[in-house]
Amino acid sequence: ERACWKGYFYAALLFVCTMIGAIGEAQYFQIVMRVGMQVRSALQSAVFRKSMYISNKGRKGGKYGANLAVNNLISSDCENVEMATRNFHILWSSPLRIFVSMYLLYLQLSWPSLIGAAFLVLMMPVQKKVVEKLTLYARQGFKRSDKRVKKEKEAVESMQIVKCYSWEESFVEEAESLREDELFFLKKSAVLGALNMCLIFSVPVLVSSVSFTVYVLAGNELTAAKAFTSLALYAVLRMPLIFFPQVIAQLTVALASMDRIEDYLARDEVDEREVNPLSDNDPAVQISDGTFSWGNLDQRVSERRRTMEQTRQGGAVRLQHGLSEESAASDVDYLVTLKNIDLEAQNGELVAIIGPTGSGKSSILHAILGEIPSLNGVVQSRGTIAYVPQQAWIFNATIRENILFGLDFDQKLYDKAVRISGLGKDLRDMVAGDQTEIGERGINLSGGQKQRVSIARAVYAQCDVYLFDDPLSALDAHVGKSVFEDCVWQGLKGKTRILVTNQIQFVNHCDKIIWLEKNPLDGSGQVRASGSYSDLMNNNTDFRQMMQEQGQTDAEQRKNDEESNNEDSKHMDPVKLKRVASSRSIDDTTNKKKKKKKKNVGALVVKEERETGTVSWKVVKAYISACGGCVVMVNLLFLWIGTQALAQAANFWITVWTENMLGDGFTVEFYLAIYVGWTIAQSFGEFVSSLYFALKGIAGAQVLHSSMFRSLLRAPMQFYNQTPLGRIINRLTKDQADIDRNLSRMISLAVRGVLQLFGTMIIIGIVTPYILVMFAPVLYLFWYAQRYFQCTAREIKRLDSVTRSPIYAQFNQCLDGTSSIRAYRAQDRLINDFYGKVDNNVRMYLTMISANRWLGLRLEFLGSLIALAAACVVVTTRSTIKAGVAGLG
C-alpha cells in the first residue's frame, strides 16, 4: 500500500493543474474576444466610410448588385466575422487535443483504442457533410433574411403612406411570406443541427463502447482504473467534437459574409472633388461639351439589344422614331442622361436652369458635384459648394444643429440664415424654438419647413457656390417669392448661384438662363437655348410665348390663392394656423407626462429604455407561451432529465460491471449489451431533445417576430416621430437573429449544464457522503458569485444593446444624405462621429466579456475545490471505498 501523502499530493496537483488551465483559458478567451471585437469595429467603420464615398454606379454594381442589404453588412455580417475570428484557433487546437487524448487512450487500452479511433475517423465525414449542409442552409437563410429586412425597412420608412392607404395587412402578408421562406431553411438547419448535436454528444460514448467491447473480447480484463480513466479521456474528446464542426460552420458563414463585405468595399467610388480657389479670370462653374449617364452602360446596352431581339416580328425590328437596328445597337446615345451640355457661371452670377420634367435639370447639379459619371467633356468648379437638394435631407437633431451642420456657432450669421430662409416665424411658433428636436427625415416638419432648414444650412455654410435643386417647389407661393427675393436673389448676392426651378416667374431676375429640353429620339437632356433673360425674350419666340403663358397662369393662381386664403381665415381657428413642434402637438394623458414634457421642452426622440434588475417573469412567460406553452416546457424537462439520467446510468453500469456487483452469474456479453443499450438510448434522447427544442424555438421566434412586426404597423405615428429608424432596424435584424439562431441553443446548453451539475452532485453524494458537508458552503459561494455577477452582467448587456442602436441609426440617416454630405465635404467629420459611437459600444462589449471571464475563473476555482475535497475524501477512506465506486464519483 502506497504512502498516504502521495494521494494527497496527487489531489493537490490535480487542483493546481486545473487552476493553471483555468487561468490560461481565461486569458486566452479575453485576448481572442478582444481581437474579434476589434475586427468587428474595424469592418463596421470600413463599411460606413465606404458608404460615404460609394457612387451611384457602385450601389448597383458588384456581384450582389442593388439587392445587397447594406444594413445587414454592418450588423449580422460583421458579427459573423467577429465570431469566426475569436474561434479561429479551435481549428488547430481541436485536432491536437483529439490526438493527445487518443494517444493517452492507447496507453490505457492498447490496440483496441485504435478501433475506437477508426470509428471516430469514420464519423468525421458524416459530421463534415452535416456541417456543409448547415452552411448551405445558413447562406440561403441569410439571403431570405435580407429580403425580409428590406421589405420591413420599406414599411417602417414609409409608415405615413402605409397608414394613409391602410396597407398594413398587405405588408404583413408580404413580410410573413418572406419570413416563411426564411424559416424553411431555419427548420432544415434545426434538423441538421439536432443531428449534429446528437453526434457531438454520442460519438465519444459510442467510441468508448466500441473500444471497451473490443478490449474485453480480446481477452483483457476491464478494471475500474482503466474504465474510468478511459471514460475521462473520452469526455475530453467531447469539447473539440462540439466546437470543431461549429467553428467550421462559423468560418464558412464568415467567409460568405466577408465575400459580401469585400464585394461592397470594392465597389466604385465618386472621385474626390478638389477645391480650387476662386479666380477673377476663370468661371466659378464650367461644363464644356459635357455628356453624362447614370448607371452601367455595358449592362444597359445588352438589355437594349435583348429587348430588340424580343420585339422582332416577321424579320423586322419595330423601333420608335425611325431608328434602324444597326444604329440602335451600335449607338449608345439612348443611354445618355445629358448630352453636349455647355454651362458657364461667372463669379457672383445667378444662373437659372429651366425645362420640362425629365430633361435633366437636377442631373446638371449632380454633374457639378461629381455624382453622375462623365462620358465626355470637362467639369470644373472653383471654391466651396453648398447644395440644397430637391428632397431636403434632415437628420435627427435640433433645428439649430441641422443648420450649423458641425460648424461653430456664430450668432450674427445664424440670425441672417434664419431670417433670409424664412424660418423666423416658424421658430417663434415652436415651444423650444431652434432647440426643437427634429425626427429622422424631418418627420415632424412640413415639406416647406424642411426645405427652408436646408436653405438655412446652405446660407450658414458661407460657401462660394450655391446649388439650388428646385427648393421653391416645396414652398407656398408667397413664401417662395419671399425666399427667392430675400435669399437667392439679394441675400446671397455676390455669390455664384445656380438655381434649378420650374417657377419661371423668377427667371427675369437671373443673369443667365439655361433652357433644357428632352430629346424625343433618345430621351437625353440637351440645351435648347441659353442666354440672358432679355436676349431670350428678344430672340427666341418659343421662350417669349412660354413666359407670356406663365404670366397669365400666375395671375389666375394669385387670384385663386387670395380667395382661398380669405375663405380659410374666416373659418379657421387662429391657434391652428401655428405649426408647433411635435412634442407640443401630442396630447398629454396624465399629469406625469405633462411634468416630464416641461422638463424636456423641445425634445422629440425618446431615449431608448432599458430594463433594470432581473429578467422579469413576464418576459420568460411570453417566450414560453410563444414556444407552445407549459406543455412544451414540461416535455423538454422530461427529455433533458431523462437524457441526463441515461448518461449517469451508463456510468453507473460501468461500476456494476467492474466491481462485479451482480455476482458471477453474468457474462461479459451481458454487461456489454446493457452498456451499449444505455449509450444508444442516451444518443437517441440527445437527438430528440435537441430537435424538439430547436423546432419549438423556431416556432416561438416566428410568433414573436409576427407579433413585433404587427405591433410596429399598429403603432401610432407618435412612436415613429420619437424612435430612430436604426433602433427599429436593430430589433428586426440583430435581436431577431439572436432569437432565431442562438436563444434556444443557449437555453438548452444552460439547462443541460445545470442538470449535469445536479447529476454529478447526486453521484458524488452517493459515493462519498462526507463530501456533502462541503456542498453547502460551496453552493452558497456559487449562488453568491452568480448573483453578484448577474446584476452587473444584465445591465452591461442592456447597455451593449442600447449603445448599438445609435450606430445603426446614424448609418441609416447618412445613407439617405450622401449627396449633401459630400457636397459640404462633411464625410470625415461624420466618419469620426461614427467611430465615436462604435468606440462607445465597444467599451460596453469589452466590459461584458471581462465580466464573463471574472465569473468563469471563480466558478472554475469553486469546481476545483469540490474536486479537491472529493479526492481527499477518497484518499482518506481508501480502505473502505471500492475503486469502481470512487471512479464513479
Side-chain angles (χ1 to χ4, degrees), residues 516-569:
L516 298 182
E517 67 175 354
K518 189 173 182 179
N519 191 321
L521 296 179
D522 55 30
S524 64
Q526 297 177 338
V527 177
R528 181 174 181 177
S530 64
S532 65
Y533 178 77
S534 58
D535 289 341
L536 291 176
M537 286 294 289
N538 294 331
N539 302 322
N540 194 302
T541 305
D542 293 337
F543 182 81
R544 183 168 58 251
Q545 182 180 356
M546 179 181 66
M547 293 302 298
Q548 291 172 352
E549 293 174 354
Q550 179 65 32
Q552 296 174 359
T553 304
D554 291 343
E556 294 176 0
Q557 182 65 40
R558 282 195 297 271
K559 182 179 179 181
N560 293 335
D561 288 344
E562 290 175 1
E563 292 177 355
S564 176
N565 290 335
N566 291 335
E567 186 68 20
D568 290 343
S569 62

Side-chain angles (χ1 to χ4, degrees), residues 74 331 460 529 718:
I74 210 165
D331 191 358
Y460 191 84
Q718 175 188 353

Side-chain angles (χ1 to χ4, degrees), residues 536-799:
L536 291 176
M537 286 294 289
N538 294 331
N539 302 322
N540 194 302
T541 305
D542 293 337
F543 182 81
R544 183 168 58 251
Q545 182 180 356
M546 179 181 66
M547 293 302 298
Q548 291 172 352
E549 293 174 354
Q550 179 65 32
Q552 296 174 359
T553 304
D554 291 343
E556 294 176 0
Q557 182 65 40
R558 282 195 297 271
K559 182 179 179 181
N560 293 335
D561 288 344
E562 290 175 1
E563 292 177 355
S564 176
N565 290 335
N566 291 335
E567 186 68 20
D568 290 343
S569 62
K570 294 178 182 178
H571 302 286
M572 188 175 290
D573 187 344
V575 176
K576 295 182 179 179
L577 295 174
K578 294 184 177 182
R579 180 175 183 87
V580 298
S582 176
S583 59
R584 183 178 178 183
S585 64
I586 299 170
D587 292 332
D588 296 329
T589 57
T590 62
N591 292 330
K592 184 178 179 180
K593 289 185 177 180
K594 289 181 179 179
K595 292 179 181 179
K596 184 177 180 180
K597 196 162 289 187
K598 288 180 181 179
K599 292 180 181 178
N600 199 15
V601 176
L604 175 69
V605 174
V606 177
K607 187 177 180 181
E608 185 168 3
E609 296 180 358
R610 61 182 181 90
E611 297 291 337
T612 56
T614 60
V615 177
S616 66
W617 172 245
K618 182 180 179 181
V619 175
V620 178
K621 185 179 178 182
Y623 183 70
I624 292 174
S625 177
C627 291
C630 295
V631 175
V632 172
M633 292 298 108
V634 171
N635 292 339
L636 276 171
L637 283 175
F638 175 78
L639 288 171
W640 284 330
I641 293 172
T643 303
Q644 184 60 37
L646 290 171
Q648 297 298 340
N651 291 336
F652 183 76
W653 188 252
I654 291 288
T655 300
V656 173
W657 180 5
T658 55
E659 295 299 328
N660 198 20
M661 291 183 176
L662 300 180
D664 298 330
F666 299 93
T667 63
V668 172
E669 289 78 6
F670 169 77
Y671 288 107
L672 281 174
I674 298 296
Y675 180 72
V676 171
W678 287 124
T679 56
I680 293 175
Q682 179 191 353
S683 302
F684 181 74
E686 295 285 357
F687 175 74
V688 172
S689 60
S690 298
L691 178 60
Y692 185 73
F693 192 33
L695 293 177
K696 292 300 179 181
I698 291 174
Q702 167 66 343
V703 171
L704 293 174
H705 171 268
S706 178
S707 176
M708 174 176 63
F709 190 57
R710 287 178 180 273
S711 297
L712 283 173
L713 292 174
R714 289 196 302 266
M717 283 310 302
Q718 175 188 353
F719 170 79
Y720 292 95
N721 294 345
Q722 298 176 339
T723 307
L725 177 62
R727 191 183 300 173
I728 300 174
I729 297 300
N730 186 19
R731 302 293 171 266
L732 294 171
T733 53
K734 175 64 173 62
D735 291 346
Q736 186 62 50
D738 284 341
I739 296 174
D740 290 345
R741 297 180 173 87
N742 298 328
L743 184 58
S744 61
R745 181 170 56 87
M746 292 301 178
I747 292 175
S748 178
L749 290 175
V751 174
R752 288 172 190 270
V754 171
L755 291 176
Q756 188 174 3
L757 173 64
F758 277 106
T760 304
M761 288 170 55
I762 292 171
I763 294 296
I764 291 176
I766 294 173
V767 173
T768 54
Y770 310 104
I771 202 65
L772 292 176
V773 178
M774 276 203 64
F775 273 177
V778 171
L779 284 178
Y780 173 76
L781 292 175
F782 261 114
W783 175 83
Y784 181 79
Q786 183 269 345
R787 184 91 174 176
Y788 186 83
F789 163 80
Q790 199 175 29
C791 297
T792 303
R794 276 195 308 266
E795 300 308 312
I796 297 173
K797 180 62 179 174
R798 288 162 178 163
L799 285 171

Side-chain angles (χ1 to χ4, degrees), residues 301-596:
V301 167
S302 63
E303 289 176 356
R304 177 69 172 179
R305 285 175 174 161
R306 185 168 59 252
T307 302
M308 290 192 303
E309 290 296 330
Q310 294 172 352
T311 56
R312 287 181 181 275
Q313 292 185 1
V317 179
R318 299 175 60 188
L319 296 174
Q320 296 179 344
H321 309 300
L323 287 176
S324 66
E325 178 181 358
E326 290 77 12
S327 63
S330 60
D331 191 358
V332 296
D333 281 356
Y334 60 86
L335 302 169
V336 172
T337 305
L338 295 169
K339 184 166 66 175
N340 303 329
I341 300 297
D342 289 298
L343 182 149
E344 188 174 286
Q346 298 294 336
N347 293 335
E349 279 190 338
L350 173 57
V351 179
I353 301 176
I354 62 174
T357 302
S359 59
K361 301 186 297 296
S362 298
S363 296
I364 288 185
L365 300 188
H366 286 291
I368 297 171
L369 294 172
E371 297 287 334
I372 179 172
S374 174
L375 305 180
N376 187 42
V378 178
V379 180
Q380 290 183 333
S381 63
R382 296 182 178 277
T384 55
I385 294 178
Y387 174 54
V388 180
Q390 193 169 15
Q391 296 292 330
W393 177 64
I394 305 296
F395 54 92
N396 175 217
T398 64
I399 292 179
R400 176 180 288 189
E401 289 169 336
N402 267 273
I403 294 174
L404 299 183
F405 199 37
L407 299 177
D408 294 332
F409 181 72
D410 183 319
Q411 185 68 56
K412 185 177 180 180
L413 179 59
Y414 181 78
D415 291 341
K416 175 188 175 183
V418 170
R419 175 176 51 80
I420 67 176
S421 62
L423 272 176
K425 183 177 182 300
D426 298 274
L427 295 184
R428 288 192 297 272
D429 287 342
M430 293 180 182
V431 176
D434 63 357
Q435 294 301 316
T436 300
E437 187 174 6
I438 306 176
E440 284 187 333
R441 304 179 303 282
I443 198 166
N444 54 321
L445 298 179
S446 69
Q449 287 174 323
K450 286 189 282 188
Q451 199 61 267
R452 279 176 282 154
V453 170
S454 183
I455 293 172
R457 179 192 300 153
V459 173
Y460 191 84
Q462 283 192 301
C463 294
D464 303 310
V465 178
Y466 288 83
L467 305 180
F468 295 96
D469 191 357
D470 200 13
L472 306 179
S473 62
L475 307 179
D476 296 335
H478 66 284
V479 177
K481 182 175 181 295
S482 174
V483 170
F484 175 80
E485 292 176 350
D486 296 342
C487 179
V488 179
W489 182 26
Q490 295 293 339
L492 295 175
K493 201 165 189 177
K495 305 285 187 180
T496 303
R497 294 142 292 161
I498 300 178
L499 172 66
V500 169
T501 183
N502 286 319
Q503 302 188 32
I504 59 177
Q505 66 269 25
F506 300 124
V507 299
N508 61 314
H509 299 292
C510 299
D511 301 304
K512 188 179 296 181
I513 300 169
I514 308 294
W515 187 12
L516 298 182
E517 67 175 354
K518 189 173 182 179
N519 191 321
L521 296 179
D522 55 30
S524 64
Q526 297 177 338
V527 177
R528 181 174 181 177
S530 64
S532 65
Y533 178 77
S534 58
D535 289 341
L536 291 176
M537 286 294 289
N538 294 331
N539 302 322
N540 194 302
T541 305
D542 293 337
F543 182 81
R544 183 168 58 251
Q545 182 180 356
M546 179 181 66
M547 293 302 298
Q548 291 172 352
E549 293 174 354
Q550 179 65 32
Q552 296 174 359
T553 304
D554 291 343
E556 294 176 0
Q557 182 65 40
R558 282 195 297 271
K559 182 179 179 181
N560 293 335
D561 288 344
E562 290 175 1
E563 292 177 355
S564 176
N565 290 335
N566 291 335
E567 186 68 20
D568 290 343
S569 62
K570 294 178 182 178
H571 302 286
M572 188 175 290
D573 187 344
V575 176
K576 295 182 179 179
L577 295 174
K578 294 184 177 182
R579 180 175 183 87
V580 298
S582 176
S583 59
R584 183 178 178 183
S585 64
I586 299 170
D587 292 332
D588 296 329
T589 57
T590 62
N591 292 330
K592 184 178 179 180
K593 289 185 177 180
K594 289 181 179 179
K595 292 179 181 179
K596 184 177 180 180

Side-chain angles (χ1 to χ4, degrees), residues 191-202:
V191 175
L192 286 177
L195 177 60
N196 190 45
M197 188 65 68
C198 174
L199 292 174
I200 288 170
F201 281 96
S202 303

